[in-house]
Amino acid sequence: MEGKTVAQTRVVMARSMQPTDANGYGNVHGGAIMRFVDEAAGAVAIRHARARAVTASLDHMSFEAPAHIGDLVTVTAYMTYTGRTSMEVTCEVTAENFLTGEERRISRCHLVYVATDERGNPIPVPPLILETEEERARWRAAEERRARRVSL
Ligand SMILES: CC(C)(COP(=O)(O)OP(=O)(O)OC[C@H]1O[C@@H](n2cnc3c(N)ncnc32)[C@H](O)[C@@H]1OP(=O)(O)O)[C@@H](O)C(=O)NCCC(=O)NCCS
């Protein structure tokens, strides 16, 4: 199976936060961010596999700063690791105040997707072609996370 580079499937999704995304304090719900992250990361996995991809896991996700209604929230998602049928995608989330231009880092997390056929059975994915030293370092870190997940 022909491999794919990280750059070939990278996704950047941006959306301004609406009142329906808010909690009672005017901040964006953590769940709204998680859904957005899953959408962006899922798009990366599907682009890589060109097949259905289901979310198998989302590692610990912490929120370093709040996002507010009206902010432009951006999720940058890219492939960090591929196994036989699974793929790890890393997401970086930022929020920008439209009026001031101030940008805050909201979160960073790792999700695992598994490519499946129509019946939900795992199927092989193309290998990931690593082009830069940064991508090779991310791969090694993802291998360690995978080992930790398996031991859980
Ligand atoms: C993910 C799923 C397809 C795995 O099926 P399975 O029969 O356990 O598959 P296998 O044991 O053959 O493992 C397949 C791959 O998934 C990986 N995997 C399975 N469970 C995992 C988990 N919880 N976290 C991370 N990776 C996982 C395995 O390491 C393996 O990777 P590899 O092929 O790269 O080595 C199955 O558990 C499933 O359908 N889960 C529900 C997914 C879903 O509906 N998500 C949305 C939530 S509402």
Side-chain angles (χ1 to χ4, degrees), residues 8-29:
Q8 273 178 288
T9 61
R10 187 173 179 273
V11 160
V12 180
M13 279 189 188
R15 189 160 75 80
S16 65
M17 293 293 112
Q18 301 300 311
T20 48
D21 298 313
N23 61 24
Y25 311 110
N27 290 345
V28 173
H29 270 298

Side-chain angles (χ1 to χ4, degrees), residues 51-56 84-85 113-124:
R52 293 164 190 238
V54 294
T55 316
R84 196 180 77 81
T85 65
Y113 291 84
V114 176
T116 73
D117 62 18
E118 295 75 12
R119 295 179 167 188
N121 298 315
I123 57 171

Side-chain angles (χ1 to χ4, degrees), residues 123-143:
I123 57 171
V125 297
L128 185 62
I129 299 170
L130 303 171
E131 296 183 298
T132 68
E133 192 44 52
E134 190 178 23
E135 290 171 3
R136 281 186 276 279
R138 286 174 178 158
W139 174 282
R140 288 192 293 273
E143 275 184 322

Side-chain angles (χ1 to χ4, degrees), residues 44-66:
V44 172
I46 293 167
R47 280 180 124 181
H48 187 89
R50 290 294 174 207
R52 293 164 190 238
V54 294
T55 316
S57 75
L58 164 62
D59 282 7
H60 168 86
M61 186 172 183
S62 55
F63 296 99
E64 298 163 25

